[in-house]
């Protein structure tokens, strides 16, 4: 048994952690928040140069052809470092193209993603209260009409993979953002570092990417990547809280000595390790194409959102007054928590999806 | 049981209500546009003077200090009636609620003569300079020092979380005057002139984006020994007077904060994949839990009012208020934002109910800390109400300058 | 404003607390558990002699004619002391007769309840998973058929007020247990102190007590009494936990000094005081016949069940190993917690009822 | 990633499976009626001897002590395969898992010679005598004393929570031999003969009604100094050997305990006023939360097995197991009983799924305490995994007989 990442994936993780430790982190996130650019272009170029957008792209399309484990570790490290670049979006889009794309679609888009000439984003939301199970945008004769919002990192994107109502339910469509009928505008959100946009589609050309079943399969894969990202962010919040608890003194003791603080840190760790177990399982299911994919992805998503919300909220609390200031880094995790919930549908959607997949498994076994 | 006023209380309420109907007529409607604290100073002064002339200031203070010598219930009744208008009252809340009672309890006759009446009439604005970056929950850990120099003291250090510092004329400040004494024993309190050279107030921006507080830096600020409150080394005891008044003030739910009604209204508007959100069992349970907290705290405050109205001291159950309110706000807001999917994340657009909940998600993280963290408040309940022993305090008797730095 | 019990009710509470402190408590509960009698008959006779079953009964029917506050304080003290007597049942039955009974019904039953010659119980459950909103027992031509179970203190009862399907939904019926067609059998439950029974009705005479609206009104009143009982039991569990935390030493300190224990005790107090605020409000609404009755009763019930579950569970935890032994008194609260949930419908039923009453209030205001 | 055995592991598993198919054939079906622990002794001995003869005992022990000298993974593989049968293995679990490794790590050659082989062959049953009424979480607080008398020691005191004490031939016991030393330093461990005069084991009834443990009373029990394990005063260090083994053993979910599948099955049978329980959002969320805990712990254990299988040490994440399992059981059971209304309260009648959940509600209260309370386990995670400082320990260096009594 080998229930762990491959040595290749581990090496990539180490490399990414080292790189982001040097080049990203809260200070870079703050600079990005205070700036006007939609993301950190220099950092993004360095990431492209390191070949990380190419990691998952097959060699035939100019990539490195690594397993999906590579995408998982990159998502986790991007989440940990808060790196203000569209890497998580690129990974989710790449996964969609690999899993659902025709050879032509792959040949058209993957080389550009690998070499950085294409900046790809994904988007399902339509600004309202609907879950990822719904899409109102409509495709008619290859032209798409509707509004997708918020989409992370939209401003700099050159292509988008969005959901729209297909014949059997929502399905994915590729939109070349340089084409006709495409409107892009910024939209304010609770996350001040990761910029989001609204995509208005008025008869833009829409290239179908898989079926409704394919859309749901992609949702699971994107949720797995999102779980690793959320775990990375939660880990950084926990590390920040633990470091402060070791350093801050009140009433003559390090505050980490008080069980009120200490047990909170332990609970962060407990939630995170539960999430990690499910995320690893889901990573295995994704790579192996296992029947447990939906169940594992749903569990990983719910567990990682729980871990992130708790770590982000209690990190502020452990820091006390200083943690509530604008100058503190606590806000980045507190706000990103909301971004990652919004990115792929809330806890309730995925809890329901998990139970539905368990019911289907039971029905199949009966 | 009876939720009505006693005859005495009813009479006072009727009188106040009648007076306000004329005196506060200009404040019947909210201001046409939001007014900054700074802009509000003249208007605040004006209203304070009007009330003072009519005998509605210092309601619970002794008559000797210019007060009305009435009970806390009278003060509450006046505030209840006043709160039906949009009169500007915030500017004087800390000065009259916390600072001046400390001055007339611990100050010399000369200080009382000089400061109390002017504050009560709205001439001078006050702030309270207690918290420091390394003295939050552990207030006795303050490092701002005051060193004796002839008839003066020279103050150096930094205070934080100071409301209205930039608008204040005076402040009460706790300083360390004897670093070789144990931490609670080497403190002394002074009145400080906020316009004196060496005092600098800077706005402190919060995680939520607002700037409700200041940082205040003191560099070689001179204060006459005549402006000392209480004996040298008695600053801890003196500050307890102020804090006792703060604990009474902090606690209830912030007036503007969303509650269970907002969650109900939101859920009634949301259609989930499985039908109307308001029909879902988890949503109904969350509404119920929020109602129990919101209304439970309101009813607990009614129990306190009831005690006051009978001339009794409120029971210890008041101590649960802030810890319940703050965490309930955060949990409800997080639940509501989850329920709202994408629209709970975007801050643009047109749902004011949702924006209020987003604001509450941000603000509640601060409310769980301000005026005593969840953890400190649980300690207080466990120790003072239930009689459990205090935490170990290894630094209690150590000279402050021998305590290892944080 | 006077948001507190009347002096009469307070005096009765003091009297009851003093009496139960002497005559009831965990040791008496244990003796009752170890014995075979269905309740402590001597203790019950003493309670009848003190006039507590007569407290609420109008003077015209041989009672004292106190306000419903008297029933609240008696329920709380009975709950605190775990007294193995059918007092809570007598109070709930009395409330039904006072609120819904015809003069004839009141004249027939209340004098007996007051003087102890009638032992009255109430019962809505039918052994399954239905809530109090349902009743399957049927009344036809004055004869009732069905099974009501579990009913607390049934073995010693001489009359029962039970729900059955009326023309508009469930309604209450009085059954003389000494009549024909009545079968009584013990039924085992998780509560080993308060004995329960199954009432089998095969054409027994059923005397209708109010309408379906009356039944729901009674449910609210019974829930208020049940809230006071649950608060009393929760307070006793909290007091036990706090006393142990002050006395037990581990690692050189009283365990109450550790925030892990201390904050748990604070949380018990917080939940209990929230419950108390709502219970007081509900007591006022009951006595005043206020429009808020349903809303206040529902909130009091949910809050008191939350407080009891937490206090009962964490009391065991604070006691550690010794708390999990048969000899420890912790089990009485842990088990009674389940009995009080079962007594009147679960937390979910009452949370839903609370929200429904808020919705109706909103609709009426609109 | 790969959930399959390595080739080596697969070979060992195949061999064990083949052997069990014949050797354990009688245990293919569960016993026709529940068998008490006492009744089970001869059968347990028989099965232990059969395994011993075939080389399936002491799998991880050094060959020098009669073991097989294999890795923990081999032991786990054998146990996985063995658990597919209903063979009686409980009687020897504590002796071979905890006591005898302590004997061969700290005992004299003569003790190893006398005891190890007999235990391994199933001749003699062992128990572990550590906890005391006043030494639970704080194990070093034990008061059972051993006083030197010539070549012997005389033991007086009381132990508690001792599994199988009434069936045991020997036990390892921690005693206080120097009350004037600090609490961790005055302890010494011995092997004690459970049939010796002055040893009395009484069953200890639990809140849940069962009696899985004993109290053991020691009155003037003589033990030869030759039966000491480790040096005089080294009992704390020696006991850590035993406890390290216990922490590995305690943790996973009890085999019979209900999990998310039981909640799903129950919810599928319940019709609420608002429709099928399984369709309600709060029920589905509870199932999801329970699945995440149950399966999360199972997967976390897979991570440990994976490390073992690669010859690495399992990571610190194993430490979360028991605290998650116990609280999840209690919360799920309470939820299920609430959902079941009246039928969740009555213990008579015919729903075995519900009775299992009722049992779980009672048992989980004990599981949250046994083998380390929720609070102690959180301390361990925070201190050993996250590196936070330990609690204040005012008694650490105080002579035991000067520590104020509990």
């Amino acid at each position: 048994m080998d229930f762990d990442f491959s040595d290749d994936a581990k090496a990539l993780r180490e490399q990414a952690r080292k790189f982001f430790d040097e080049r990203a982190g809260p200070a870079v996130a703050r600079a990005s928040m205070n700036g006007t650019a939609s993301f950190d272009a220099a950092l993004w170029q360095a990431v492209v140069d390191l070949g990380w957008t190419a990691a998952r792209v097959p060699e035939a399309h100019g990539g490195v052809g690594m397993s999906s484990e590579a995408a998982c570790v990159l998502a986790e490290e991007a989440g940990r470092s808060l790196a203000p670049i569209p890497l998580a979006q690129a990974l989710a889009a790449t996964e969609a193209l690999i899993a659902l794309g025709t050879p032509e679609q792959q040949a058209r888009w993957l080389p550009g993603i690998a070499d950085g000439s294409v900046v790809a984003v994904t988007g399902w939301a339509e600004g309202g209260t609907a879950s990822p199970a719904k899409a109102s945008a409509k495709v008619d004769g290859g032209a798409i009409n509707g509004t997708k919002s918020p989409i992370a990192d939209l401003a700099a994107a050159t292509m988008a993979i969005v959901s729209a109502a297909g014949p059997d339910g929502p399905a994915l469509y590729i939109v070349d953002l340089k084409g006709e009928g495409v409107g892009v505008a910024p939209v304010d959100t609770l996350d001040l570092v990761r910029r989001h946009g609204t995509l208005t589609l008025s008869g833009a050309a829409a290239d179908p990417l898989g079926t409704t079943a394919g859309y749901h399969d992609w949702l699971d894969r994107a949720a797995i990547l999102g779980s690793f990202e959320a775990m990375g962010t939660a880990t950084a919040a926990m590390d920040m809280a633990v470091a402060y608890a070791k350093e801050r003194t009140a009433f003559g003791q390090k505050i980490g000595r008080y069980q009120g603080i200490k047990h909170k840190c332990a609970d962060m760790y407990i939630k995170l390790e539960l999430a990690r177990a499910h995320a690893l399982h889901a990573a295995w299911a994704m790579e192996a194409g296992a029947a447990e994919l939906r169940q594992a992805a749903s569990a990983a998503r719910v567990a990682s959102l729980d871990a992130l919300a708790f770590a982000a909220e209690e990190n502020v609390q452990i820091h006390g007054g200083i943690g509530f200031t604008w100058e503190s880094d606590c806000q980045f995790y507190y706000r990103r928590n909301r971004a990652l919930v919004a990115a792929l549908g809330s806890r309730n959607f995925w809890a329901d999806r998990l139970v539905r997949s368990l019911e289907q498994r039971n029905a199949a076994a009966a | 049981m009876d939720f009505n006023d006693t005859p005495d209380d009813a009479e006072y309420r009727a009188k106040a209500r009648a007076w306000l109907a004329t005196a506060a007529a200009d404040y019947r409607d909210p201001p046409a546009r939001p007014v900054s604290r700074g802009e509000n100073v003249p208007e605040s002064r004006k209203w304070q003077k009007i009330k003072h002339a009519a005998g509605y200031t210092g309601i619970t203070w002794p008559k000797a200090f210019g007060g009305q010598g009435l009970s806390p219930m009278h003060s509450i009744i006046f505030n209840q009636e006043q709160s039906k208008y949009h009169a500007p009252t915030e500017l004087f809340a800390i000065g009259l609620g916390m600072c001046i009672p400390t001055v007339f309890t611990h100050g010399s006759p000369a200080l009382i003569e000089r400061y109390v009446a002017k504050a009560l009439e709205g001439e001078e604005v006050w702030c309270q300079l207690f918290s420091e970056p390394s003295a939050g929950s552990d207030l006795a850990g303050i490092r701002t020092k005051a060193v004796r120099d002839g008839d003066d003291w020279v103050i150096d250090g930094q205070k934080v979380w100071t409301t209205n510092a930039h608008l204040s004329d005076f402040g009460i400040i706790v300083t360390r005057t004897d670093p070789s004494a144990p931490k609670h024993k080497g403190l002394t309190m002074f009145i400080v002139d906020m316009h004196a050279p060496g005092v600098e107030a800077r706005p402190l921006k919060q995680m939520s984006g607002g700037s409700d507080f200041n940082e205040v830096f003191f560099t070689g600020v001179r204060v006459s020994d005549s402006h000392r409150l209480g004996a040298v080394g008695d600053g801890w005891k003196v500050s307890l007077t102020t804090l006792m008044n703060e604990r009474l003030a902090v606690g209830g739910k912030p007036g503007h904060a969303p509650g269970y009604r907002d969650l109900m209204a939101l859920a009634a508007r949301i259609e989930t994949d499985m039908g109307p959100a308001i029909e879902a069992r988890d949503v109904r349970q969350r509404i119920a839990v929020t109602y129990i907290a919101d209304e439970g705290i309101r009813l607990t405050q009614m129990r306190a009012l009831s005690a006051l109205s009978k001339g009794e001291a409120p029971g210890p159950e008041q101590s649960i208020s802030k810890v319940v309110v703050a965490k309930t706000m955060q949990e409800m807001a997080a639940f509501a934002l989850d329920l709202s999917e994408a629209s709970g994340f975007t801050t643009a657009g047109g749902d004011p109910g949702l924006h209020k909940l987003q604001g509450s998600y941000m603000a509640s993280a601060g409310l769980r800390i301000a005026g005593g963290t969840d953890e400190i408040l649980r300690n207080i309940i466990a120790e003072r109400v239930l009689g459990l022993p205090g935490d170990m305090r290894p630094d209690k008797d150590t000279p402050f300058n021998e305590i290892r730095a944080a």
Side-chain angles (χ1 to χ4, degrees), chain A residues 131 251 313 324 334 338, chain B residues 138 205 207 273 338 347 361:
Chain A
S131 80
F251 304 109
E313 290 170 3
F324 190 61
Y334 198 82
R338 299 307 330 162
Chain B
D138 182 9
K205 193 168 173 188
M207 180 175 103
D273 298 348
D338 275 6
T347 51
Y361 185 67

Side-chain angles (χ1 to χ4, degrees), chain B residues 9-212:
Chain B
D9 291 346
E11 190 189 325
Y12 187 77
R13 188 186 297 278
K15 215 184 72 183
R17 193 178 287 174
W19 179 78
L20 283 161
T22 312
D26 291 350
Y27 302 120
R28 210 173 291 275
D29 299 316
R33 61 176 185 86
V35 180
S36 76
R37 287 179 184 228
E39 290 178 294
N40 225 1
V41 172
E43 195 68 22
S44 299
R45 284 222 164 91
K46 190 180 119 193
W47 177 238
Q48 184 68 18
K49 276 184 214 300
I50 292 172
K51 285 194 291 185
H52 188 65
Y56 287 116
T57 53
I59 294 172
T60 62
W61 294 7
K63 291 191 172 176
F65 305 127
Q68 306 296 327
L70 296 172
S71 78
M73 196 63 204
H74 290 93
S75 175
I76 286 162
I77 288 172
F78 182 78
N79 287 334
Q80 285 174 341
E81 294 301 321
Q82 182 181 233
S83 71
K84 295 174 183 168
Y85 297 82
H86 298 270
T89 59
E90 241 182 55
L91 188 67
F92 295 99
I94 287 169
L96 300 179
M98 298 180 223
C99 302
I100 301 298
T102 308
V103 171
F104 67 63
T105 308
H106 298 283
S108 66
L111 292 178
I112 294 173
E113 172 75 23
R114 162 66 187 83
Y115 291 110
V116 174
K118 282 225 187 291
L120 198 57
E121 290 161 19
E123 282 295 311
E124 290 166 350
V125 181
W126 286 68
C127 65
Q128 170 202 327
L129 299 146
F130 283 20
S131 292
E132 295 186 10
S134 47
S137 293
D138 182 9
L139 188 59
I142 63 165
R143 296 178 182 179
T144 293
K145 63 184 177 183
V147 177
R148 185 81 193 228
D149 182 29
D151 283 347
D152 289 350
W153 296 79
V154 180
I155 301 178
D156 285 278
Q158 182 193 349
K159 295 288 176 179
V160 75
W161 303 115
T162 315
T163 305
N164 291 339
H166 59 305
L167 304 175
S168 289
D169 301 299
F170 299 95
I172 59 173
I173 184 167
V174 192
T175 62
R176 185 163 304 280
T177 46
D178 182 0
S180 67
K183 63 193 282 194
H184 290 78
K185 306 230 163 120
L187 305 174
T188 306
M189 194 181 296
F190 298 96
I191 294 174
V192 62
D193 179 347
M194 294 298 287
H195 307 299
V199 178
E200 190 198 349
R202 298 182 199 156
L204 180 68
K205 193 168 173 188
Q206 295 141 229
M207 180 175 103
S208 50
S211 292
D212 297 334

Side-chain angles (χ1 to χ4, degrees), chain A residues 114 292 322:
Chain A
E292 294 97 322
I322 192 77

Side-chain angles (χ1 to χ4, degrees), chain A residues 46-355:
Chain A
V47 161
V48 170
D49 292 346
L50 283 163
W52 295 347
T53 59
R56 271 292 278 154
V57 173
E59 292 180 33
H61 296 303
V64 185
M66 289 183 74
S67 79
S68 59
E69 291 184 0
C72 294
V73 300
L74 288 172
E76 180 168 3
E77 297 311 316
R80 182 196 302 266
S81 69
L82 303 166
I85 51 174
L87 181 57
Q89 281 283 41
L91 295 169
T94 304
E95 219 53 48
L97 288 163
I98 292 175
L100 307 174
T102 62
E104 293 71 27
Q105 288 171 326
Q106 294 183 345
R108 172 161 180 211
W109 295 107
L110 288 174
I113 290 177
D115 69 18
S117 58
V118 168
V119 178
V121 295
T122 63
W124 64 269
E126 299 181 341
T129 61
S131 80
K134 296 270 167 70
S136 300
K138 286 223 160 39
V139 179
D140 196 5
I144 184 167
N145 284 284
T147 301
K148 308 301 289 188
S149 176
I151 296 182
D153 303 308
L154 178 65
T158 61
M159 77 90 102
I161 298 174
V162 299
S163 63
D168 308 313
L172 292 177
Y173 294 86
I174 301 172
V175 178
D176 184 341
L177 297 179
K178 292 178 290 189
E180 297 284 300
V182 171
V184 167
V187 61
D188 288 337
T189 69
L190 288 172
D191 190 335
L192 305 178
V193 174
R194 180 169 288 173
R195 307 296 169 93
H196 288 70
T198 295
L199 178 61
T200 310
L201 298 165
S202 320
D207 187 15
L209 182 65
T211 59
T212 292
Y215 166 70
H216 279 287
D217 183 71
W218 169 78
L219 263 188
D220 293 332
R221 290 167 190 267
I224 294 167
L225 298 179
S227 300
F228 278 94
E229 186 186 5
M231 278 200 308
T233 306
T235 305
M238 176 179 79
D239 289 348
M240 190 183 168
V242 168
Y244 192 72
K246 288 177 186 173
E247 165 201 316
R248 171 78 176 187
T249 297
F251 304 109
Q253 297 187 46
K254 298 299 176 198
I255 61 170
R257 230 184 242 283
Y258 296 103
Q259 290 186 351
I261 301 296
K262 183 186 283 197
H263 290 181
K264 244 191 235 306
C265 293
D267 284 338
M268 289 182 186
Y269 180 79
I270 289 168
K271 286 174 196 291
L272 201 44
E273 289 306 316
L274 282 179
R276 193 174 307 282
H278 287 288
L280 274 172
H281 186 227
W284 164 79
M286 173 155 69
E287 182 59 25
E292 294 97 322
L293 178 67
R294 178 140 311 160
Q295 165 184 340
S298 304
R301 171 126 180 108
V302 175
S304 64
L305 289 182
D306 285 351
L308 175 57
F310 185 77
E313 290 170 3
E314 299 309 320
N315 182 38
V316 181
Q317 183 68 16
I318 287 173
H319 276 76
I322 192 77
F324 190 61
T325 62
W326 187 259
E327 293 310 315
S328 165
D329 294 333
C330 291
Q331 64 158 308
F332 297 130
Y333 306 103
Y334 198 82
R335 292 171 176 278
R336 181 59 52 86
N337 165 33
R338 299 307 330 162
L340 296 190
V341 170
L344 272 171
S346 69
R347 195 180 176 290
N348 179 66
F349 171 77
W350 288 94
D352 181 64
R353 192 171 171 94
L354 167 59
V355 177

